[in-house]
Amino acid sequence: MTHQEIQDGTGFPWDIGVFDAHCHPTDTMSSIAEIPGMRATTLTVMATRGEDQELVHQTAATLRSGQPPSLSGQSIGRVLPCFGWHPWFSHQILDDMRKTETEVTSASVKKQAHYSKVLTPSPADTFISALPDPKPLSQLISETRERLLNHPAALVGEIGLDRAFRLPQVWTQHEKEGRDSQLTPGSREGRALSPHKVQLEHQKVVLEAQLRLAGELQRPVSVHSVQCHGAIFDLFKKLWTGHERKKPSRRERARRYSAADAHAQSDVEEEQQKPITAKRSPLPFPPRICMHSYSGHVEPLKQFLNSSNPSDVYFSFSTVINFNGPSPQKIVEVIKALPDDRILIESDLHTAGQQMDDLLEEVARQICELRGWDLRQGVRQLAENWKKFVFG
């Protein structure tokens, strides 16, 4: 940035640090080589399905440049990996943790029974035969736990609920022959949509298991929600019950700020920040939640931001989803209503490189304008918000 750009405010302050709270560059692995040359500081890279979990791990490991993540020093490198199972692929998960699946010896019969149960309307045999064999939920949680333990700063994501999503139709031979080989398999890739949706109750089972894992390991989560903000909040509320933050009494507030109790309070807070051990029961909810590309109304913000909630809830916004959607004015009202310290930016892009940088700059400028922030002030606030979301 030139001196003149700093003086007239036109240059974008990449030097402060710009953090993409949600993106999918491993969907286009050929673009990963662009990341070291990007202006963005760190990309929070999501996994969504079976085909990309290992790719997210490999990308983070490759770009770590020999420096392990540092929680205390808030240094993470170019990629922060996130491991989770997206609701669009939740039908591929078999609920074996509640023992609700019919016990059958034939794998093909079990596959048929599973997909007939979790998809609506119930699909034809030919549609089911083209779907992958379902993965047990217990296996998904075990594998995700192992990946999270291998990456001490990793998040859980992308997870969530989606009422609108419909499965794509089965690949035709012509589509198979014409698909872009540079794209990671598993996504829609332009196929026509079928009438089949994933039962919301099944999506909730898969989501809750991952939220509980995030609580066990005290990792933040990135949550996808389409036409499900009420159902998402109800699930959070279920996991929060009995752990609500209590508003201190006037006497307690006075004691908290007295000099005599300062050291004792510090000791308590330090104890609360310690990693979970065998002596401390794991919490059933994540410490921090990002509602990614939030598309809800202003009214639900109050319940998500209630001071009694034991999880801190953040809201991220992208140009592609939020400002180019059908209700941009609704998002403007949401952004203006949020507290300064709960706003994040994201690209939600599937390709790393210049376009991702451009989208981050665009959404940062849009938010700064809506909030009335000076550009440098706003970018600094957004950077601090991301650090607080990731590190606590």
Side-chain angles (χ1 to χ4, degrees):
M1 187 161 40
T2 68
H3 177 72
Q4 183 60 41
E5 287 175 325
I6 295 174
Q7 288 293 102
D8 61 23
T10 59
F12 192 73
W14 294 99
D15 58 295
I16 291 174
V18 176
F19 300 87
D20 190 336
H22 189 109
C23 60
H24 301 271
T26 54
D27 277 358
T28 315
M29 285 301 292
S30 59
S31 74
I32 296 301
E34 302 292 322
I35 294 177
M38 288 179 62
R39 291 172 292 176
T41 307
T42 299
L43 310 181
T44 314
V45 176
M46 301 290 144
T48 60
R49 58 192 187 276
E51 290 88 348
D52 64 8
Q53 306 289 327
E54 184 62 21
L55 296 180
V56 171
H57 158 71
Q58 292 174 3
T59 298
T62 300
L63 296 178
R64 195 177 294 165
S65 301
Q67 295 183 338
S70 170
L71 296 177
S72 58
Q74 298 189 347
S75 173
I76 211 70
R78 303 309 300 268
V79 167
L80 174 62
C82 309
F83 302 101
W85 206 273
H86 196 288
W88 291 356
F89 309 99
S90 56
H91 60 288
Q92 298 174 4
I93 303 302
L94 184 149
D95 178 15
D96 66 331
M97 297 177 73
R98 300 186 305 169
K99 305 300 181 185
T100 57
E101 295 285 346
T102 304
E103 292 295 332
V104 289
T105 55
S106 168
S108 62
V109 173
K110 177 175 284 191
K111 175 180 177 178
Q112 181 86 20
H114 167 74
Y115 284 119
S116 296
K117 177 182 178 181
V118 304
L119 295 179
T120 181
S122 186
D125 292 352
T126 52
F127 189 89
I128 291 176
S129 65
L131 296 173
D133 291 339
K135 175 195 288 283
L137 181 56
S138 60
Q139 181 182 343
L140 167 64
I141 296 303
S142 176
E143 292 173 353
T144 305
R145 180 186 290 108
E146 183 177 356
R147 290 189 174 98
L148 291 169
L149 291 174
N150 285 334
H151 294 270
L155 277 59
V156 174
E158 177 177 0
I159 60 177
L161 301 177
D162 194 318
R163 289 186 194 272
F165 174 74
R166 290 180 289 147
L167 273 67
Q169 292 283 11
V170 175
W171 285 97
T172 66
Q173 187 60 37
H174 177 72
E175 287 171 336
K176 285 182 180 179
E177 293 172 354
R179 74 173 297 273
D180 185 346
S181 62
Q182 293 195 17
L183 297 179
T184 299
S187 63
R188 177 185 172 187
E189 294 188 42
R191 284 177 289 164
L193 296 177
S194 76
H196 305 296
K197 295 185 176 184
V198 186
Q199 295 273 9
L200 192 64
E201 289 306 309
H202 181 71
Q203 293 186 44
K204 289 179 182 178
V205 170
V206 178
L207 172 58
E208 180 174 343
Q210 295 180 94
L211 288 171
R212 289 183 178 275
L213 175 61
E216 172 193 331
L217 300 180
Q218 285 297 279
R219 304 299 178 89
V221 300
S222 186
V223 174
H224 170 109
S225 177
V226 173
Q227 301 176 15
C228 285
H229 301 304
I232 286 278
F233 181 78
D234 288 344
L235 181 50
F236 291 165
K237 193 72 174 176
K238 170 187 173 181
L239 300 179
W240 288 339
T241 298
H243 301 276
E244 293 84 354
R245 291 170 176 160
K246 294 178 175 60
K247 186 176 181 180
S249 67
R250 184 177 301 175
R251 177 178 296 179
E252 288 171 331
R253 288 198 300 271
R255 288 187 61 204
R256 181 173 296 178
Y257 293 107
S258 69
D261 290 325
H263 291 295
Q265 180 66 24
S266 177
D267 291 342
V268 170
E269 292 176 352
E270 182 179 348
E271 180 65 26
Q272 291 174 341
Q273 296 299 320
K274 287 183 178 179
I276 293 173
T277 66
K279 295 181 181 179
R280 176 180 165 192
S281 298
L283 296 171
F285 54 85
R288 294 171 299 284
I289 296 166
C290 172
M291 300 297 293
H292 122 75
S293 281
Y294 179 73
S295 59
H297 292 275
V298 170
E299 290 74 18
L301 297 181
K302 292 182 180 178
Q303 58 185 8
F304 281 111
L305 295 171
N306 192 297
S307 60
S308 68
N309 297 342
S311 302
D312 293 331
V313 183
Y314 294 75
F315 300 81
S316 63
F317 301 94
S318 64
T319 295
V320 174
I321 302 298
N322 297 122
F323 289 98
N324 291 333
S327 304
Q329 185 55 40
K330 178 178 67 174
I331 300 305
V332 167
E333 294 170 0
V334 167
I335 291 172
K336 288 183 175 180
L338 283 170
D340 287 352
D341 62 352
R342 296 300 178 89
I343 303 173
L344 302 171
I345 59 171
E346 58 170 90
S347 68
D348 198 22
L349 195 63
H350 297 256
T351 305
Q354 182 67 46
Q355 185 183 4
M356 189 175 282
D357 277 339
D358 291 345
L359 288 173
L360 290 171
E361 177 176 346
E362 183 176 356
V363 72
R365 286 182 180 274
Q366 288 171 310
I367 288 175
C368 287
E369 182 177 352
L370 290 172
R371 299 290 301 190
W373 289 339
D374 165 83
L375 189 57
R376 290 190 68 82
Q377 168 205 354
V379 171
R380 185 174 291 108
Q381 178 72 63
L382 294 169
E384 290 304 313
N385 292 353
W386 182 88
K387 292 173 186 177
K388 188 70 173 177
F389 165 63
V390 171
F391 299 106

